[in-house]
Structure formats: C-alpha cells, structure tokens
Amino acid sequence: PKDELARQAKEREQEKREREQQGTIEQLFKSYTEQMKKDGKRTHEAVLVALEKETYPVIKPTTKAKDVTPHDIKVILAHMIRRGADTQSNRVRSYLMAAFNYGLKHDNDPANFIDDAKFGLVINPVAAIPKQKAAERVGERFLTWAEARQLLDDMEQPTSLGLTLRSLIRLCFFTGGQRPYELAVSRWANIDWQAKTLTITADTSKNGRPHLIPLTDSALRVLREQQEETQQAATGDSPFIFTHATKPSEPMPMASLSQAIDRYRKRTEMAHFIPRDFRRTCKTLMGELGIAKDLRDRLQNHALNDVSSKHYDRYEYLPEKRRALELWERRLLD
C-alpha cells in the first residue's frame, strides 16, 4: 500500500506538471503569429490584434488552448455578427481556424520538442463552425476606361493629394495593377534604370517569390518625378521610393492611400471605388485589349500553382510583359 500510494502521488504530480506546461490560448496566438512572421506573412501583426481583440472578452488569455470548445468559438463570432461585422467574423474565424490547426501540428514538430509549451490539442474547435456565406461577396467594381483616364489625368495635376500619393496611384496603373503595398515598400535600390525594370523582392512579394516588372516610359517618368520630390524633401535619405511623410526610415502607410482615394472620390463624385479595385481594373481592361490571361497573371505576380510553373519554369517573360505593358500604356494615354 505504501508503494502504491507513492506511485499514485507521483502520477498526480506528473499530471499537474504536464497540465501547468500546457499552452494557453495567449501562447497559441503568439506562437502562431510568430510563425507567420518567420514565414514572411506581412499580416502577422494585424492577425494577432484581431485575435486578441475578439477572443479575450469571451475567453481569458490564461485559458488552456485544449479547453476551448466549439461553443466558445460560436460566442466569439456571434458577438461580431450581432454588431454587424459579418465579413470580419469570417476573417476572425479563418484566423482562429489557422491558429488551432497550427497548434494541432505544433506538438509533433521536432523543432518544438524541447522548449516550447505543448498545447495538447486533439481537435480543432473551429472546424464545425460554418462561415457566413452571405457576407462573402466577390468584388465586382472596376473603373471604366473613361474613369481610369480621368483618375490618371487628375493625378497629373497638383491637387490636395501630395505628389507621393499621386505618384503611387499612377505607378499602380502604369505597371499593370501591381499591389499598392508592394510598390509602397519598394526601395530605390530595386530599380534598374538602365534595364528599365523594378524588382519586387521575395520578402515583399505576397507569394514569396521575386517579381520583375518592366518599366514603361510613363512609369519611369513617374519615378523620376518622385525621385526629385524625395531629394528636395526632408526625407531625401530614405531608402523607400514612397516614404512616410514624417519617418524617413519607414514606407508610406496604406491608410494614407485609402484616405486619399476617399477624399478624391468625394471631390469628383465618382462612383465608389477603393485602392483594391485598381488591380481588378487593370486585369479587366487589359483583357479587353486582348492580353492573354496567363500573361496578365504573370504581370500581376499571381501564384501559379501548376507543376511546371511552381517547380520548373523560371523564365521571367520580360519581353512579353514589356510588350503587354506598352500596349496597355498606349491605350491608357490614348
């Protein structure tokens, strides 16, 4: 009996120790978003903020991740839906889903064998919770030729928008609809003036692969204007093409672009559009010009998931992309 009692006490102590070592929901969120950061996902900070903001009013940060139930997840999302944030509830659901999937694999990853907390997850509590399908609407808005030309004409003129914002908008169009963020964080060192190219580096690119963009005469003109503006301003030493107005060591924040478009749209009474619609506009209007879809996809650096593109084809298609952009430029300026 004495030996048996000692064995039982030892087991209880071991269970208690293992319980204390199990990861909390706070540790899960931080570990997941830290992995996003390592993987080069630029949204890691926004994801962590959204998870903490929506989860902690319902589930305490010290709650063990394995103790979270589908009911807890339903309560989190129900609060969001009730306040009218249906679309954002789908975003948070996907973040939670990804975080718990990460936790399921985490304990079996040899890289985490010694130091990290173990989450002890057996199921993903988000898996049984459906998305709000009515909240997901495919974007339809794109600018017509007339609207695109009006926007570009207006961006040539001094307005309430500064030159840096106007240059970014024009460059988005003259490069065939590149992601505004990827242009905004690009550096002067990424431009090859002689070869007339701009490289979106792998650490900036959404799909993690470098992207070579041919620069048309209009794109080069915009960049030279921006270079002169930067050299004359207090931010002249900034490595970024589109620098922060007061912090030369940082690129322009995307909120500035959204606010600028909002002001411009109200002033001109143009139908509602947002910066995200630039890409759709270029993709759609270039299709009208007869530019093939696969070339438009390469111009906009979409992830190509066929085996050939992923593993073998490393050709940059630079001449083809340049011809397509020159055709696009001529039509925009016509």
Side-chain angles (χ1 to χ4, degrees):
K2 210 171 180 182
D3 288 345
E4 179 62 17
L5 288 171
R7 186 187 66 77
Q8 289 177 4
K10 189 175 180 180
E11 282 183 356
R12 285 194 297 272
E13 184 63 28
Q14 178 67 17
E15 286 175 5
K16 181 182 176 183
R17 192 159 51 247
E18 287 178 357
R19 174 76 181 168
E20 288 171 351
Q21 289 175 345
Q22 282 177 351
T24 63
I25 192 78
E26 181 179 27
Q27 287 173 309
L28 176 64
F29 290 166
K30 288 185 175 175
S31 184
Y32 166 61
T33 52
E34 188 61 33
Q35 187 60 51
M36 287 181 68
K37 183 178 179 181
K38 290 177 185 174
D39 293 340
K41 302 291 178 63
R42 60 179 181 249
T43 57
H44 63 94
E45 289 181 357
V47 169
L48 180 59
V49 168
L51 285 170
E52 292 177 338
K53 177 188 171 209
E54 303 297 346
T55 302
Y56 293 164
V58 177
I59 307 172
K60 291 182 179 178
T62 53
T63 304
K64 302 297 183 185
K66 71 184 293 293
D67 292 338
V68 177
T69 66
H71 176 73
D72 294 327
I73 305 298
K74 278 194 288 186
V75 173
I76 293 168
L77 301 178
H79 280 309
M80 299 183 69
I81 293 167
R82 205 164 289 136
R83 70 171 191 252
D86 297 42
T87 303
Q88 182 62 10
S89 78
N90 281 345
R91 302 288 172 271
V92 170
R93 180 195 172 278
S94 71
Y95 301 157
L96 287 164
M97 184 80 167
F100 279 98
N101 278 338
Y102 165 82
L104 282 167
K105 296 176 183 176
H106 175 277
D107 292 1
N108 294 319
D109 188 340
N112 307 321
F113 184 65
I114 297 174
D115 298 323
D116 276 6
K118 302 295 182 281
F119 296 108
L121 290 167
V122 179
I123 63 163
N124 187 328
V126 190
I129 313 296
K131 287 200 302 185
Q132 300 302 302
K133 292 183 180 178
E136 295 297 326
R137 293 183 289 274
V138 176
E140 297 288 346
R141 173 68 166 126
F142 66 92
L143 277 65
T144 63
W145 284 108
E147 289 175 326
R149 287 186 181 116
Q150 180 187 340
L151 175 64
L152 290 175
D153 283 347
D154 290 342
M155 292 303 105
E156 294 285 345
Q157 312 300 324
T159 64
S160 58
L161 308 188
L163 179 63
T164 297
L165 280 163
R166 291 188 283 115
S167 295
L168 178 58
I169 293 167
R170 287 181 291 165
L171 194 63
C172 284
F173 277 85
F174 289 130
T175 55
Q178 302 306 316
R179 296 179 180 92
Y181 171 84
E182 293 178 0
L183 292 178
V185 300
S186 290
R187 300 167 182 255
W188 291 112
N190 302 141
I191 300 174
D192 186 329
W193 296 98
Q194 190 170 0
K196 298 182 180 180
T197 59
L198 168 65
T199 301
I200 304 295
T201 55
D203 61 325
T204 297
S205 169
K206 185 177 179 181
N207 62 16
R209 291 178 60 172
H211 176 43
L212 191 63
I213 307 166
L215 297 172
T216 62
D217 290 342
S218 295
L220 287 166
R221 176 176 59 80
V222 170
L223 287 168
R224 288 195 180 98
E225 287 177 9
Q226 180 60 22
Q227 190 177 43
E228 289 176 12
E229 173 76 7
T230 303
Q231 288 170 350
Q232 293 170 8
T235 55
D237 295 333
S238 175
F240 297 104
I241 300 172
F242 301 100
T243 188
H244 194 289
T246 57
K247 301 175 184 175
S249 60
E250 296 179 17
M252 173 200 296
M254 285 296 93
S256 298
L257 178 61
S258 298
Q259 291 161 7
I261 289 298
D262 192 47
R263 291 199 307 274
Y264 168 80
R265 200 183 61 242
K266 289 174 181 174
R267 180 169 58 81
T268 57
E269 298 183 355
M270 192 180 286
H272 185 275
F273 70 94
I274 57 175
R276 193 173 179 181
D277 298 329
F278 293 168
R279 216 165 145 73
R280 188 180 301 109
T281 296
C282 294
K283 192 72 168 281
T284 303
L285 298 185
M286 285 193 293
E288 283 188 24
L289 281 179
I291 298 171
K293 182 181 178 299
D294 67 319
L295 189 52
R296 284 179 280 149
D297 287 345
R298 292 183 188 281
L299 267 170
Q300 293 192 342
N301 199 24
H302 284 294
L304 302 173
N305 293 317
D306 59 285
V307 173
S308 173
S309 298
K310 281 180 70 175
H311 299 289
Y312 301 108
D313 190 358
R314 292 296 175 263
Y315 177 52
E316 289 285 357
Y317 292 83
L318 190 60
E320 292 85 351
K321 289 192 288 190
R322 190 178 295 281
R323 284 194 293 271
L325 281 181
E326 286 171 350
L327 174 63
W328 167 242
E329 177 191 48
R330 282 197 300 272
R331 184 62 186 271
L332 276 178
L333 301 177
D334 185 6

